[in-house]
């Protein structure tokens, strides 16, 4: 699973492998800004305190016997 961090103003940081070496790619609005070899290099492009890790949860399976959502307890 890919790890990804997002920040203010459209910044995104993802870990990738480039030329056989792991780097942290900094993107802004989808455009690559830099491939950094250290967190210190990333900090030169974006404030680390503004970054938040995006965690994608696996889809939850529907359990048997669960009814559909209703709009009100008065409707049956």
């Amino acid at each position: 699973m890919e790890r990804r961090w997002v920040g203010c103003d459209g910044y995104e940081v993802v870990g990738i492998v480039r030329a056989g070496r792991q780097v942290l790619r900094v993107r802004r609005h989808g455009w690559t800004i830099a491939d950094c070899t250290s967190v210190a290099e990333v900090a030169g492009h974006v404030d680390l305190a503004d970054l938040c890790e995006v965690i994608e949860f696996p889809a939850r399976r529907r359990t048997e016997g669960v009814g559909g959502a209703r709009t009100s307890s008065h409707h049956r």
Side-chain angles (χ1 to χ4, degrees), residues 15-25 35-38 41:
I16 65 162
V17 175
R18 183 170 178 229
R21 187 172 182 182
Q22 185 169 354
V23 297
L24 294 167
R25 176 163 283 172
D35 287 339
C36 303
T37 58
S38 70
E41 283 185 55

Side-chain angles (χ1 to χ4, degrees), residues 2-30:
E2 179 182 277
R3 295 185 78 174
R4 182 168 72 106
W5 296 265
V6 295
C8 300
D9 298 325
Y11 281 99
E12 176 182 39
V13 178
V14 294
I16 65 162
V17 175
R18 183 170 178 229
R21 187 172 182 182
Q22 185 169 354
V23 297
L24 294 167
R25 176 163 283 172
V26 178
R27 293 190 285 207
R28 185 169 187 215
H29 300 297

Side-chain angles (χ1 to χ4, degrees), residues 37-73:
T37 58
S38 70
V39 174
E41 283 185 55
V42 173
H45 299 281
V46 61
D47 186 351
L48 299 178
D50 289 339
L51 294 177
C52 181
E53 186 174 4
V54 176
I55 300 173
E56 295 191 27
F57 295 103
R60 187 166 38 161
R61 285 187 259 161
R62 185 179 173 126
T63 58
E64 292 183 35
V66 175
R70 299 184 188 270
T71 58
S72 170
S73 61

